[in-house]
């Protein structure tokens, strides 16, 4: 998830309920259930602390974004070695594109797809040494994978919109000029101070899914409603799976922008976090909540299944 420091801090300092981590935790729980009785789960347990679950591990990478005084020693070291770690959680491919490919606008060597590739290699390596560009050990690689496979199934962590001077969505890959929406953080629902569309997908859609399926055993409800399908399986070497999954998610990114027209642009002045840029107001159609909820129910189930599949491929059963 992205630019969510405020609600997470509220969780730390006050009694404000936020659903932000809920999506990640359900992915971790679903994966752990798929892993029951496998060698992969034994290997996972050796990397996690006593009592630590994949649900807990799933939020580590977001908790590493907290102010320094809240960080564990291993988080501090990770942040020191990777000051740009906030950008590990996403890429910004124009939603009109049909496939993720390094070199497209909004992709780079340290985007979500490539960080996942690095983490896969760290877990596959015979020795647990920090001989990698992130200077991470296997434990941190597992934490990042558990979180980022979840993020990779949130459509606005993969695709985003670019908006031209006439407030129309354009694809900058065609040469058109447009300002990026920062993972739809610059599109606000209903009013200038309304929820950014990105946050809507991070939290509101998960809340809608929980209300729809029941909160009692949300992970079970999700997997019953949307059981795994053969087409969820990736093919080929496992370090190509994140690219395949990003392409799959990009198909849903398009649907985030369906029936949406940016309007009433306003200029946001430069500050220490960003340059001067425009933001917009958007209106959601009456069916948008239901459609987005249905997508998220599938994506959470798929992310849990794929996280388990990846960990099983990293640590196959010994024959
Ligand atoms: Zn994230």
């Amino acid at each position: 998830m992205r630019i969510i420091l405020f609600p997470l801090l509220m969780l730390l300092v006050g009694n404000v309920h936020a659903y932000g981590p809920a999506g990640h935790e359900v992915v971790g729980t679903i994966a752990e259930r798929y892993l029951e009785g496998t060698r992969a789960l034994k290997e996972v347990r050796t990397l996690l602390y006593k009592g630590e679950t994949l649900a807990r591990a799933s939020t580590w990478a977001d908790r590493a974004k907290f102010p320094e005084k809240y960080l564990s020693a291993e988080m501090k070291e990770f942040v020191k070695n990777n000051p740009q770690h906030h950008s590990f959680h996403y890429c910004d491919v124009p939603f009109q594109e049909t496939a993720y490919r390094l070199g497209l606008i909004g992709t780079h060597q340290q985007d979500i797809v490539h960080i996942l590739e690095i983490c896969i290699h760290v877990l596959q390596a015979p020795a647990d040494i920090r001989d990698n560009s992130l200077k991470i050990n296997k434990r941190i690689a597992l934490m990042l994978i558990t979180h980022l496979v979840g993020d990779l199934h949130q459509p606005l962590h993969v695709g985003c919109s670019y908006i031209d001077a006439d407030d129309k969505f354009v694809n900058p890959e065609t040469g058109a000029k447009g300002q990026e929406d920062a993972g739809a953080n610059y599109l606000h629902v209903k009013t200038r101070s309304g929820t950014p569309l990105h946050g809507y997908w991070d939290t509101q859609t998960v809340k809608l899914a929980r209300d729809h399926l029941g909160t009692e055993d949300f992970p079970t409800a999700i997997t019953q409603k949307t059981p795994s399908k053969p087409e969820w399986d990736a093919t080929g070497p496992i370090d190509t799976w994140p690219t395949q999954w990003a392409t799959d998610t990009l198909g849903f990114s398009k649907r985030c922008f369906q029936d949406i027209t940016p309007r009433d642009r306003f200029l946001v002045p430069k500050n220490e976090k960003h340059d001067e840029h425009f933001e917009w107001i958007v209106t959601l159609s009456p069916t948008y909540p239901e459609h987005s909820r249905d997508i998220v129910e599938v994506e959470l189930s798929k992310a849990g299944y794929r996280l388990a599949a990846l960990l099983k491929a990293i640590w196959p059963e010994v024959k």
Side-chain angles (χ1 to χ4, degrees), residues 203-216:
T203 59
Q204 183 63 17
T205 51
V206 179
K207 181 183 183 309
L208 288 169
R210 287 173 73 116
D211 291 347
H212 179 222
L213 298 174
T215 51
E216 196 128 305

Side-chain angles (χ1 to χ4, degrees), residues 1-2 24 62 65 89 147-148 151 157:
M1 107 197 12
R2 185 168 171 178
H24 285 287
D62 271 344
K65 294 175 182 171
H89 297 237
H147 180 82
L148 296 180
D151 274 352
H157 277 253

Side-chain angles (χ1 to χ4, degrees), residues 9-303:
L9 277 178
M10 293 299 281
L11 262 184
L12 279 175
V13 298
N15 192 23
V16 176
H17 193 65
Y19 285 93
H24 285 287
E25 287 169 358
V26 77
V27 170
T29 302
I30 290 172
E32 197 156 326
R33 290 182 183 174
Y34 278 122
L35 290 171
E36 217 159 281
T38 63
R39 174 194 165 209
L41 189 57
K42 284 196 195 105
E43 299 286 351
V44 164
R45 294 254 181 272
T46 64
L47 294 174
L48 296 180
Y49 295 144
K50 199 170 180 316
E52 211 174 22
T53 60
L54 277 182
R56 178 65 178 160
S58 75
T59 56
W60 188 94
D62 271 344
R63 286 183 279 119
K65 294 175 182 171
F66 289 172
E68 198 183 354
K69 63 178 173 178
Y70 297 112
L71 302 187
S72 62
E74 68 176 358
M75 284 173 177
K76 280 183 190 160
E77 195 192 354
F78 169 72
V79 170
K80 189 169 113 254
N81 290 331
N82 299 282
Q84 75 293 21
H85 66 104
H86 289 240
S87 73
F88 293 178
H89 297 237
Y90 60 90
C91 55
D92 283 328
V93 176
F95 73 82
Q96 299 90 342
E97 289 296 310
T98 53
Y100 174 95
R101 152 175 77 75
L102 181 62
L104 281 175
I105 289 165
T107 66
H108 55 87
Q109 293 282 5
Q110 291 207 326
D111 65 17
I112 182 167
V113 169
H114 289 86
I115 295 299
L116 275 167
E117 286 175 11
I118 294 167
C119 292
I120 290 168
H121 293 151
V122 170
L123 289 184
Q124 283 183 311
D128 193 4
I129 50 172
R130 292 158 189 262
D131 181 21
N132 56 76
S133 57
L134 308 181
K135 299 193 178 77
I136 54 170
N137 61 13
K138 286 180 186 276
R139 177 178 151 78
I140 306 302
L142 174 66
M143 298 295 188
L144 291 178
I145 283 180
T146 306
H147 180 82
L148 296 180
V149 170
D151 274 352
L152 194 59
H153 289 80
Q154 203 278 46
L156 295 177
H157 277 253
V158 177
C160 80
S161 80
Y162 293 77
I163 302 167
D164 73 4
D166 296 323
D167 297 334
K168 298 271 182 296
F169 292 132
V170 291
N171 181 354
E173 286 291 334
T174 65
K177 292 258 178 299
Q179 187 210 285
E180 200 212 311
D181 73 6
N185 272 297
Y186 294 167
L187 304 180
H188 299 267
V189 178
K190 282 191 194 159
T191 64
R192 282 186 180 198
S193 57
T195 310
L197 193 62
H198 184 97
Y200 178 91
W201 280 84
D202 264 349
T203 59
Q204 183 63 17
T205 51
V206 179
K207 181 183 183 309
L208 288 169
R210 287 173 73 116
D211 291 347
H212 179 222
L213 298 174
T215 51
E216 196 128 305
D217 186 354
F218 187 42
T220 299
I222 286 262
T223 47
Q224 278 175 353
K225 165 92 190 305
T226 55
S228 63
K229 298 177 182 175
E231 59 260 38
W232 289 2
D233 290 324
T235 56
I238 61 172
D239 59 0
T240 68
W241 292 7
T243 294
Q244 296 174 47
W245 295 340
T247 292
D248 179 40
T249 303
L250 197 51
F252 293 101
S253 310
K254 292 171 195 17
R255 289 166 63 182
C256 299
F257 296 100
Q258 233 166 27
D259 302 327
I260 280 186
T261 312
R263 61 179 167 87
D264 300 320
R265 66 164 63 204
F266 55 99
L267 196 62
V268 177
K270 179 181 165 69
N271 69 14
E272 69 281 357
K273 288 199 183 123
H274 54 67
D275 287 332
E276 181 181 81
H277 64 271
F278 286 109
E279 299 192 6
W280 289 263
I281 296 171
V282 293
T283 305
L284 306 183
S285 71
T287 54
Y288 196 93
E290 198 181 319
H291 288 160
S292 54
R293 179 202 74 197
D294 288 349
I295 290 172
V296 160
E297 285 174 4
V298 173
E299 290 301 273
L300 290 175
S301 185
K302 210 191 268 178

